[in-house]
Amino acid sequence: MPVDLFARSAAHATVPLQLLVTLTLLSIVPLLLVMCTSFVRIVVVLSLVRSAIGASALPPNAVLTGLALVLTLVVMAPTGRQIGHDAIEPYSRGAISPSQAVSRGIAPLRAFMLRQSRSADVVLFDRVARRPLEAANHAPLEVLVPAFVVGELRNAFAIGFALYLPFVAIDLAIAAMLMGLGMMMLSPPVVSLPVKLLLFVMVDGWAMLCGGVATSFR
């Protein structure tokens, strides 16, 4: 009788524990979305392009963030399907434990981050964490995540630099034309902004930008 009572109490105790684990996982989903997916590169590139155009408040931050989220869902769709197949579906059927679901769910995300990360960045954060140097495939998440984020920022700034150059050329050309015409009192951005907007729309810039940054992931 005491054994049965203990078994029933243990079974009831697992329900709050599973609920706690589920709530904890849900609380770190925003962090995973920002730090472990394509969101970092996409939102930085979109912000740099907005700055290059010269319209600092257009599109608004909410629009850029929403567009970055949508593109992130598109880029991460294969990884998400694999996580659902390997971790979420078996866990919903009760075939695996929460810890097994977490480990299986992290594996596809880890593979995605490894494809985007440089081994030099992994080695750098191995040294920062004072860990023995090992292959990037065996790096723990506390080393892989910062290496991935640093690599994403590097790639985003490289893409942003390449996209900035045409807009800088337009600014210089407009400024030279105004100086040649003797219109010193007219601010060059007042003239160059409509020109940049017109050219960006004519070349279907947003579609090219979104397609290019989405296909830049390995």
Side-chain angles (χ1 to χ4, degrees):
M1 187 68 178
V3 175
D4 294 338
L5 182 61
F6 177 77
R8 285 197 298 269
S9 61
H12 288 298
T14 59
V15 176
L17 181 60
Q18 291 179 357
L19 181 61
L20 177 62
V21 171
T22 303
L23 292 177
T24 302
L25 292 177
L26 290 177
S27 66
I28 66 174
V29 166
L31 177 64
L32 291 176
L33 178 63
V34 173
M35 303 300 290
C36 301
T37 65
S38 58
F39 180 81
V40 174
R41 184 190 305 185
I42 294 172
V43 75
V44 171
V45 169
L46 294 179
S47 300
L48 287 173
V49 170
R50 181 180 64 179
S51 177
I53 292 174
S56 58
L58 295 173
N61 289 330
V63 175
L64 283 187
T65 304
L67 180 58
L69 286 172
V70 171
L71 292 176
T72 299
L73 292 176
V74 173
V75 173
M76 301 300 298
T79 303
R81 286 193 294 268
Q82 188 174 357
I83 292 174
H85 179 269
D86 296 344
I88 298 177
E89 292 179 4
Y91 177 71
S92 63
R93 297 194 307 266
I96 58 176
S97 64
S99 60
Q100 290 175 324
V102 171
S103 61
R104 290 189 181 186
I106 289 176
L109 200 59
R110 178 187 177 86
F112 172 80
M113 290 190 291
L114 279 174
R115 290 197 302 271
Q116 318 303 324
S117 303
R118 296 195 317 175
S119 57
D121 294 331
V122 177
V123 170
L124 170 64
F125 286 99
D126 267 330
R127 292 173 179 170
V128 171
R130 300 182 184 277
R131 298 183 66 262
L133 298 180
E134 57 185 0
N137 297 341
H138 304 291
L141 288 179
E142 61 267 21
V143 171
L144 182 58
V145 171
F148 168 75
V149 174
V150 167
E152 288 299 282
L153 290 175
R154 181 191 303 109
N155 293 330
F157 275 75
I159 296 172
F161 173 77
L163 294 173
Y164 232 101
L165 292 180
F167 297 106
V168 173
I170 294 174
D171 287 332
L172 293 176
I174 296 295
M177 290 175 58
L178 293 177
M179 290 182 63
L181 295 173
M183 304 174 68
M184 304 297 184
M185 302 301 295
L186 183 59
S187 177
V190 174
V191 180
S192 63
L193 178 58
V195 174
K196 289 187 288 188
L197 291 176
L198 177 62
L199 291 177
F200 197 65
V201 171
M202 288 177 61
V203 300
D204 201 8
W206 286 113
M208 292 177 59
L209 174 63
C210 294
V213 71
T215 56
S216 66
F217 293 90
R218 299 190 292 272

